[in-house]
Amino acid sequence: MPEKFPSPAGWTPPGAEFRSSGGASRTVTGMLAGLILTPVGIALAARGAAGTRQWTILGDFADRVGSTFEILAAAVVFLLVAALAAYSPAGTIIAGLVWGVLPGIIHVIFPDDTFRLIGDLPVSDDMHVALFQWLQTGFPLIVGILLVGAGAAATFRRR
């Protein structure tokens, strides 16, 4: 179908010389955002999950509101990282690989080493237990695969 109003030869829209695709800057920004937000979501999810364990131990004396809020906040952070795929699919894929798939696979292959590595992190003892339990249940692998899938879906959607 021919253009209804063809442009004159050599004509460019006003401001075209200042436009760029911004591919590299979008990728770097997306990767940094994904690599920073994903561990925040992991920490919130791990602490929230550890807090829910206290519900059965302490009953009504447990902090149900705090741990529920942490789990919901983690879900929102993971949603932001998945939605980041619309801006930069590479950022979501890299975050899913670095913070989810690779730690999950490494834990499956070397469970004792991951326990030692988590123990060496400069966090509280409660957080050590929460992170190890979260890793042990396989959630990093699940979240990582979901983030990689969100990034791949955004990549295929663009084509």
Side-chain angles (χ1 to χ4, degrees):
M1 176 179 211
E3 283 187 74
K4 201 170 200 174
F5 302 105
S7 300
W11 181 84
T12 58
E17 65 273 7
F18 301 113
R19 292 186 194 154
S20 70
S21 65
S25 64
R26 290 179 87 168
T27 301
V28 170
T29 303
M31 284 176 30
L32 288 175
L35 289 172
I36 291 169
L37 287 175
T38 304
V40 171
I42 290 171
L44 287 169
R47 283 190 46 85
T52 58
R53 183 183 56 154
Q54 297 297 322
W55 294 359
T56 57
I57 297 169
L58 299 175
D60 291 337
F61 297 108
D63 180 21
R64 291 177 186 248
V65 175
S67 58
T68 302
F69 176 73
E70 286 175 337
I71 290 172
L72 290 173
V76 168
V77 170
F78 287 133
L79 177 65
L80 289 174
V81 175
L84 180 67
Y87 179 72
S88 169
T92 303
I93 292 171
I94 297 295
L97 287 173
V98 168
W99 294 111
V101 175
L102 292 177
I105 290 173
I106 290 170
H107 176 69
V108 168
I109 297 171
F110 306 108
D112 295 334
D113 294 334
T114 56
F115 182 72
R116 189 173 53 253
L117 286 172
I118 289 173
D120 291 342
L121 292 175
V123 294
S124 68
D125 290 339
D126 290 340
M127 193 62 184
H128 285 140
V129 171
L131 285 172
F132 185 72
Q133 286 178 343
W134 201 69
L135 185 64
Q136 195 173 24
T137 58
F139 276 104
L141 191 58
I142 293 168
V143 170
I145 289 172
L146 287 173
L147 290 177
V148 169
T155 300
F156 294 139
R157 176 73 178 128
R158 287 183 172 195
R159 292 180 186 196

